[in-house]
Amino acid sequence: MNIKTPKIMNKNKPLCAALLLFIGTSSNAELLFTSETGFIVENTFETEASKNKAWRALVDDVGKWWPSDHTWWGDASKLSINEFAGGCFCEKSGNNSAEHMRISYVDQYTVMRMTGGLGPLQGMGMYGALEWTFTTAKTGKTKVSMKYSVNGINPDGFEQLAPIVDKVQAMQLNGLRIHLQASH
């Protein structure tokens, strides 16, 4: 069975990892934890946009800030996020569709939790919780955080995979930061 993965991960893994190390972002990326059974990564940024505006951009504009090369069919405009428990972070392209993650918790304008495996992690049987939080930072700006806690079994371990996921998520979150900056 051939499992399709987003375009960036179809390439040679060491080359992909090396390229991702050179992606510049203004987000704060951090590998919080890694073990034999999983990892936790967190990426954050601060914005002048209000919590409500940042939230609305996350939900309503996902197709404008999510990188197209991190979709199944190469077009981020086909993405949608349903803003309720049981909703879907999904992609639909003609008769093709993918559930990237399932929405499991919503405290509107404060927390959205999604569960599942993003990108190639889905095909690897990985499962995780992706939590988006919107808080007021000490600076008075809105702090947006994207924390992904992943577990599963990986014969190659997580020492090499976790930093790659961290860098990809930093790039994705940076897309939201740039989108908010342009629309503020």
Side-chain angles (χ1 to χ4, degrees):
M1 177 180 201
N2 185 10
I3 298 173
K4 185 175 179 176
T5 59
K7 293 178 183 181
I8 190 106
M9 295 304 290
N10 281 340
K11 309 295 181 202
N12 180 296
K13 285 183 184 179
L15 176 61
C16 176
L19 289 173
L20 289 173
L21 291 174
F22 293 103
I23 294 172
T25 69
S26 294
S27 300
N28 179 22
E30 187 174 356
L31 177 58
L32 299 175
F33 174 81
T34 186
S35 75
E36 291 180 7
T37 59
F39 60 91
I40 302 171
V41 296
E42 183 173 34
N43 290 274
T44 63
F45 72 88
E46 290 185 8
T47 179
E48 295 288 339
S50 69
K51 287 180 8 177
N52 291 13
K53 184 172 182 167
W55 178 279
R56 293 274 41 106
L58 167 76
V59 175
D60 299 335
D61 297 340
V62 64
K64 295 177 182 175
W65 59 264
W66 192 271
S68 286
D69 61 348
H70 286 271
T71 65
W72 293 108
W73 293 283
D75 184 356
S77 72
K78 306 295 184 184
L79 295 171
S80 63
I81 296 176
N82 302 123
E83 182 181 357
F84 54 85
C88 184
F89 173 24
C90 287
E91 180 178 352
K92 184 159 177 41
S93 180
N95 292 325
N96 301 319
S97 61
E99 178 180 284
H100 292 275
M101 302 195 96
R102 174 73 41 195
I103 296 15
S104 60
Y105 178 84
V106 175
D107 181 353
Q108 193 177 47
Y109 306 118
T110 305
V111 178
M112 181 180 293
R113 189 172 305 122
M114 304 174 173
T115 56
L118 280 171
L121 300 182
Q122 186 182 80
M124 295 169 72
M126 303 291 163
Y127 188 82
L130 178 64
E131 187 164 280
W132 297 88
T133 59
F134 299 79
T135 58
T136 302
K138 292 178 184 177
T139 61
K141 295 179 179 181
T142 298
K143 180 179 177 183
V144 179
S145 297
M146 177 187 198
K147 183 177 178 183
Y148 196 26
S149 302
V150 177
N151 64 59
I153 299 171
N154 184 15
D156 297 326
F158 292 100
E159 294 297 322
Q160 291 181 8
L161 181 62
I164 293 171
V165 172
D166 188 43
K167 296 292 182 189
V168 169
Q169 291 210 328
M171 180 183 64
Q172 292 161 341
L173 190 62
N174 197 47
L176 178 59
R177 183 191 63 78
I178 291 167
H179 176 71
L180 283 168
Q181 216 170 23
S183 63
H184 188 69

